């Protein structure tokens, strides 16, 4: 079992930046991929970005060129650097970690508005 704790959400104006962090604890030795989903009010949860243990990253089209996912295996932490934020990026952001099952964080709210 892996426990995940997210931090770094908040309010930002359009065009601004935020950095989300997600720290893993528990059965961390078996974690393979980690990543981020988001869920806006009234919408389904959607994949934002994922990163393998070796650092290979993939992104949803709607964040390419704006968001960067990274991972520090020594700290068991995954990050999401979000730049050029738009109001449509407003959502609760959830990190996940894959072992034999997928574990989820509790979510952190990101609000982009003027």
């Amino acid at each position: 079992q892996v426990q995940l704790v997210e931090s770094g959400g908040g309010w930002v104006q359009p065009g601004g930046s935020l950095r989300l962090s997600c720290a893993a604890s528990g059965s961390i030795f078996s974690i393979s991929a980690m990543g981020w989903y988001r869920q806006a009010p009234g919408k389904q949860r959607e994949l934002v970005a994922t990163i393998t243990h070796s650092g290979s990253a993939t992104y949803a089209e709607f964040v390419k060129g704006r968001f960067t996912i990274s991972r520090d295996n020594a700290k068991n932490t995954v990050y999401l650097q979000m730049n050029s934020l738009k109001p449509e990026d407003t959502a609760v952001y959830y990190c996940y970690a894959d072992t034999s099952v997928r574990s989820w964080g509790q979510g952190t709210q990101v609000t982009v508005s003027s």
Side-chain angles (χ1 to χ4, degrees):
Q1 189 76 11
V2 174
Q3 293 79 46
L4 301 170
V5 178
E6 297 125 333
S7 60
W11 172 84
V12 65
Q13 292 185 332
S17 299
L18 284 174
R19 188 194 195 206
L20 306 183
S21 300
C22 175
S25 61
S27 299
I28 56 177
F29 58 90
S30 58
I31 294 176
S32 55
M34 299 182 75
W36 296 89
Y37 276 73
R38 72 185 187 186
Q39 188 167 19
K43 295 187 177 181
Q44 290 190 333
R45 191 174 294 193
E46 58 185 2
L47 178 64
V48 175
T50 186
I51 187 166
T52 66
H53 188 272
S54 60
S56 178
T58 56
Y59 298 92
E61 282 296 324
F62 53 79
V63 302
K64 279 185 178 179
R66 301 189 298 124
F67 291 11
T68 302
I69 189 170
S70 61
R71 179 170 176 172
D72 185 334
N73 289 328
K75 295 182 179 180
N76 306 306
T77 300
V78 63
Y79 305 95
L80 187 68
Q81 177 67 43
M82 305 185 294
N83 299 328
S84 302
L85 282 161
K86 305 175 182 180
E88 51 264 43
D89 294 317
T90 295
V92 177
Y93 285 70
Y94 299 90
C95 73
Y96 73 88
D98 286 339
T99 55
S100 58
V101 297
R102 176 163 288 182
S103 300
W104 292 93
Q106 80 284 358
T108 185
Q109 177 70 46
V110 171
T111 302
V112 185
S113 72
S114 52

